[in-house]
Amino acid sequence: MSRAFVFPGQGSQAVGMGRELAEAFEVARHTFEEVDDALNQRLSRLMFEGPDQDLTLTENAQPALMAVSVAVMRVLAQQGGVDLAKHAMFVAGHSLGEYSALCAAGAFSLADTARLLKLRGQAMQKAVPVGKGAMAALLGADLEQAQAIAADAAQGEVCACANDNAPGQVVVSGDADAVDRAIVLASERGLKRCIRLPVSAPFHCALMQPAADAMAAALETVAVTAPVVPVVSNVTASAVSDPAEIRRLLVEQVTGMVRWREGVLFMKEQGVTALVEAGAGKVLAGLAKRIDKSVSAVSVQTPADVESFLNAFNA
C-alpha cells in the first residue's frame, strides 16, 4: 500500500477537537502546550471548550486545526512508529492544511507554523472589509463550467474559482455582488444547488492580495528546510520539495485556486493507493471517495481512530 498523509482546512474545526487525544497521549498534550506557548494564547482551552464563535474566527481556526493535525502525526509516530520518510510518498493539505503538511514533514518548526497561521488568519480577515466579499459552492459544476460562470458574473468585479474540491464541487470567491450574480447564473444554467458559504472573507481570490503580501514578508523571516517527503502544492497540484519554491507557492496560494481534485489525481498517478487524513473532521476522506473510488481514505482524529489505524498499519 502506497500512502499519502493529507491535512484538513478551515471548516473542519469543532469545539472539543483534540481533547480526547490530549487526555490519552502525553505527546499530544505537549503539542498543544507548545502551540499555546508559541502564540502566547490558551488556544487549546478554546479548542476543547469553545465558545464556537471564537474558535471559528479565522485567526484561531487556522493554528488550531494545524495543532490537532500535528498532534495526530506525533501520536502515530510515538505509538506506532509511523515515519513519513519511510511510510509515505507524499503529504498534502487543503489551504491552511498545506502548512500542517509542511510542519508534519519537517519543513517548518511547530512554533513557526503556529505563528505563521495566526498571522495568515489575521491578514486574510483584514484584507477585505466584512460584507464586501463572499464565497459560494456551485454544486454539480465541473471546473470549466464554474470558470465560465465566474467570468460572466464578474462584470468588472472579482469573481474566480477558489476551490476545485471534487467533481461537482467547485467554490467561487470574490466581491459579494459578483458572487450573488454567479449564484443566479449557475441556477439559470441548470446547476442543482448553489450555496453561499458562511465565511468571513473571500478566500483564494485576487481580493486577498494584501494577505499574500503579508505572508511573503512573514515567510522571509522563517527557516524552511526540505520536507522529508514531497508536498503536493495547492497551486500546482504537483510535488515540491525545494524550500524557495515552497515559500513562493505558499504566497501564491493565498490568492490562487486550491487545486485539490487535481492534487489527489496527481498522487494517484504517482502510485498512491491510500490517503490518511490526519486531524479534525472527515472532509478530505469524503472528497477522496468522490474524486477516485479506487483510492482508499481513512480519517484519524481520536484515540479510537489511532488504535484502528495502527492495528491495520502494523498488521
Side-chain angles (χ1 to χ4, degrees), residues 193-255:
R193 270 177 80 208
C194 307
I195 309 164
R196 193 158 165 175
L197 299 177
V199 293
S200 53
F203 306 126
H204 298 290
C205 74
L207 296 176
M208 285 287 121
Q209 189 58 48
D213 296 341
M215 292 314 296
L219 284 159
E220 283 302 320
T221 69
V222 170
V224 187
T225 55
V228 296
V229 289
V231 177
V232 178
S233 162
N234 283 187
V235 170
T236 62
S238 60
V240 58
S241 293
D242 175 66
E245 188 77 346
I246 286 168
R247 264 200 192 94
R248 183 180 70 77
L249 290 170
L250 285 175
V251 174
E252 280 189 34
Q253 188 226 56
V254 180
T255 56

Side-chain angles (χ1 to χ4, degrees), residues 287-312:
L287 291 178
K289 292 181 180 73
R290 297 182 57 178
I291 294 167
D292 193 314
K293 286 187 169 61
S294 71
V295 178
S296 69
V298 295
S299 299
V300 183
Q301 59 178 320
T302 65
D305 295 337
V306 168
E307 183 180 6
S308 173
F309 176 76
L310 292 179
N311 285 341

Side-chain angles (χ1 to χ4, degrees), residues 47-294:
M47 287 157 53
F48 301 163
E49 300 173 12
D52 182 60
Q53 65 265 29
D54 290 351
L55 179 61
T56 303
L57 287 173
T58 302
E59 67 176 83
N60 293 326
Q62 294 200 25
L65 285 161
M66 181 277 299
V68 177
S69 288
V70 172
V72 168
M73 294 306 298
R74 289 182 172 182
V75 169
L76 293 178
Q78 186 191 67
Q79 298 294 310
V82 174
D83 179 346
L84 286 177
K86 292 181 191 165
H87 301 127
M89 287 183 72
F90 301 103
V91 291
H94 192 285
S95 192
L96 83 90
E98 195 163 327
Y99 285 81
S100 309
L102 287 160
C103 182
F108 291 131
S109 72
L110 178 60
D112 281 343
T113 312
R115 287 189 286 262
L116 283 169
L117 284 174
K118 183 79 173 174
L119 174 75
R120 184 176 182 268
Q122 290 169 336
M124 290 170 103
Q125 195 59 66
K126 279 185 209 151
V128 180
V130 173
K132 183 182 180 332
M135 298 179 78
L138 308 186
L139 302 180
D142 62 24
L143 181 58
E144 209 170 281
Q145 263 181 307
Q147 285 172 328
I149 289 166
D152 290 345
Q155 295 180 20
E157 293 186 309
V158 172
C159 189
C161 292
N163 307 80
D164 180 16
N165 286 331
Q169 193 188 118
V170 182
V171 174
V172 295
S173 181
D175 287 291
D177 289 346
V179 170
D180 286 342
R181 286 193 293 271
I183 292 170
V184 172
L185 280 174
S187 177
E188 287 172 357
R189 294 178 191 184
L191 294 193
K192 54 186 178 185
R193 270 177 80 208
C194 307
I195 309 164
R196 193 158 165 175
L197 299 177
V199 293
S200 53
F203 306 126
H204 298 290
C205 74
L207 296 176
M208 285 287 121
Q209 189 58 48
D213 296 341
M215 292 314 296
L219 284 159
E220 283 302 320
T221 69
V222 170
V224 187
T225 55
V228 296
V229 289
V231 177
V232 178
S233 162
N234 283 187
V235 170
T236 62
S238 60
V240 58
S241 293
D242 175 66
E245 188 77 346
I246 286 168
R247 264 200 192 94
R248 183 180 70 77
L249 290 170
L250 285 175
V251 174
E252 280 189 34
Q253 188 226 56
V254 180
T255 56
M257 181 173 72
V258 175
R259 295 168 62 184
W260 189 254
R261 176 185 60 84
E262 292 175 86
V264 171
L265 292 175
F266 167 81
M267 290 188 277
K268 189 212 169 188
E269 284 158 13
Q270 302 302 309
V272 168
T273 56
L275 298 183
V276 183
E277 181 176 11
K282 299 182 177 182
V283 170
L284 300 184
L287 291 178
K289 292 181 180 73
R290 297 182 57 178
I291 294 167
D292 193 314
K293 286 187 169 61
S294 71

